[in-house]
Amino acid sequence: QIEVGDFPTSFIPLDTRFTSRSSEATYYDENGIIRTAPTNYPRYGYKYDGRKWVETGLILEAAGTNLVTGVANNSWAFESGHLGQVKTINTGDTAAPDGSYTAVKCDVTALGSALTFSDFLYQPGQSWAGSTRTASMFVKGTAGETLSIKLDGAGGGGYFKDHTFTGDWDRISTSYEYGSGYSVNGVMRVGPRSLSGSATGTASVWYVWGAQL
C-alpha cells in the first residue's frame, strides 16, 4: 500500500452488507417487539438503553445452522430419574414474542417436590465431539421464580446456568466446548435445576419459544 499520510489506512472496505440467511431469525423493532425476519431478509435491530429503544443498525451474521428443528412440535421430552418421560404441551394461552401461539408450555406441577430434580431436554442424537455449541431460547415464567439451561452429553459435562424470570419473555443462552474425545450424544436442557446441581429451582410452569442451537 502506497499513500501520502501520517498513518496507513485500509483499501479494503468494511463488510457492512447483508448477503443471505438460510433460515428465519428474530430481532427487536423500534417498539421493543420481537419480530421474525424471513429467510434471506436482513435485520435492522434495536436495543433498550434504559429509557428508550435505540437503533443498532444492520445485524451482520456469521454463518451457522440451527440444529433444533422440532421444538415447536413436542420434541421437548421431560426427564426425571424414576418418573419416565412426559411430553410438553403446545399452548394457545400465551402469545409468543412474535405474537403467534407457537410457544411450548412446560408443566411439571404434578411432580410436586420432585420437580426440582427434573428438566426438559432436546437430544438430537448427534455427536458434537471437538466442537463448541451455543444454545439460546426465549423463556417466560412467573416473575421471581428460577430456571436453568445447560448443554451436556447425556448427563456428562457442561453446567447449569441459572435464570430468574422477569414475568415477560426473556432470552437465555449458554455455550459448551465439547472435547475431541466426547463419545456420547449432545443434549440441550432447560428446567428447574440450579447451577450447583442441588436442585433449588422454583419454576414448575414455563414457556419456551424460538430455541436455537
Side-chain angles (χ1 to χ4, degrees):
Q1 176 174 338
I2 302 175
E3 62 182 347
V4 177
D6 296 331
F7 56 89
T9 59
S10 176
F11 283 139
I12 304 174
L14 294 175
D15 183 7
T16 58
R17 294 176 297 175
F18 174 82
T19 54
S20 64
R21 185 196 325 105
S22 61
S23 63
E24 296 180 344
T26 58
Y27 64 97
Y28 288 99
D29 69 10
E30 64 273 17
N31 297 311
I33 299 174
I34 297 174
R35 304 294 188 183
T36 300
T39 299
N40 292 328
Y41 190 88
R43 297 178 295 167
Y44 295 88
Y46 289 77
K47 69 177 181 179
Y48 192 67
D49 67 357
R51 296 180 300 109
K52 62 181 180 179
W53 288 89
V54 295
E55 186 176 1
T56 58
L58 177 66
I59 301 175
L60 294 176
E61 308 165 32
T65 300
N66 185 14
L67 301 180
V68 180
T69 57
V71 69
N73 59 9
N74 284 337
S75 67
W76 289 84
F78 178 73
E79 180 186 62
S80 179
H82 304 289
L83 296 175
Q85 299 280 332
V86 178
K87 287 292 184 179
T88 59
I89 306 167
N90 283 308
T91 181
D93 61 358
T94 296
D98 66 349
S100 68
Y101 286 92
T102 55
V104 176
K105 184 178 182 179
C106 305
D107 189 341
V108 295
T109 305
L111 297 179
S113 61
L115 70 87
T116 54
F117 292 94
S118 311
D119 52 61
F120 284 79
L121 62 86
Y122 177 86
Q123 184 166 359
Q126 300 178 31
S127 174
W128 300 337
S131 63
T132 299
R133 298 297 187 210
T134 297
S136 66
M137 66 190 70
F138 288 93
V139 293
K140 183 177 183 179
T142 302
E145 292 187 347
T146 57
L147 189 77
S148 295
I149 182 175
K150 180 185 181 184
L151 282 174
D152 64 21
Y159 62 90
F160 282 101
K161 183 177 179 179
D162 297 339
H163 173 74
T164 301
F165 287 119
T166 64
D168 203 345
W169 283 102
D170 308 315
R171 190 177 184 90
I172 59 175
S173 65
T174 189
S175 297
Y176 185 66
E177 182 177 349
Y178 291 84
S180 59
Y182 222 87
S183 61
V184 294
N185 291 334
V187 176
M188 181 167 67
R189 304 173 184 268
V190 58
R193 299 267 194 141
S194 72
L195 187 63
S196 65
S198 58
T200 57
T202 56
S204 58
V205 178
W206 68 96
Y207 299 85
V208 175
W209 182 82
Q212 293 183 317
L213 181 62

